Amino acid sequence: MLYVIEGYDGTDVLAARLAARPAHLARLTALRDEGRLVLAGPCPAIDSEDPGPAGFSGSVVIAEFASLEAAQDWAAADPYVDAGVYVRTEVRPFRKVLP
């Protein structure tokens, strides 16, 4: 089943986000290579493709997992969690309709 994982950034975490980004992307690349990743990306903190020093408000990942618990475990092990970038994460089932 698909699950949407939303991570919410704390304040003043851009440097920590940038430092943890390679490890974060490696996990997403593994999901992609396994054919389980639907989409992933950050949410700019301002209305801009490149928010610069404003940074990001969080991220969204939609991917396939065996269960809600498996998706929650995966989200809890994210390098952004370990680095203190995400102050909270939410994981919910997702049903793709389009496209």
Side-chain angles (χ1 to χ4, degrees), residues 31-58:
L31 283 179
R32 181 201 64 198
D33 292 350
E34 294 167 7
R36 297 171 42 204
L37 183 64
V38 174
L39 66 85
C43 301
I46 60 173
D47 189 14
S48 174
E49 274 288 316
D50 180 3
F56 300 90
S57 62

Side-chain angles (χ1 to χ4, degrees), residues 4-7 9 17 21 24-25 28 37-44 56-62 80 86:
V4 59
I5 299 169
E6 294 180 88
D9 285 21
R17 177 182 263 273
R21 188 169 189 262
H24 173 78
L25 290 178
L28 292 170
L37 183 64
V38 174
L39 66 85
C43 301
F56 300 90
S57 62
S59 304
V60 174
V61 174
I62 299 177
Y80 284 171
Y86 291 161

Side-chain angles (χ1 to χ4, degrees), residues 57-97:
S57 62
S59 304
V60 174
V61 174
I62 299 177
E64 183 179 343
F65 292 91
S67 66
L68 177 59
E69 182 179 357
Q72 290 168 330
D73 290 347
W74 188 90
D78 194 293
Y80 284 171
V81 172
D82 293 339
V85 174
Y86 291 161
V87 292
R88 71 183 168 94
T89 58
E90 293 183 9
V91 181
R92 337 183 268 269
F94 180 79
R95 185 173 154 216
K96 182 179 176 182
V97 175

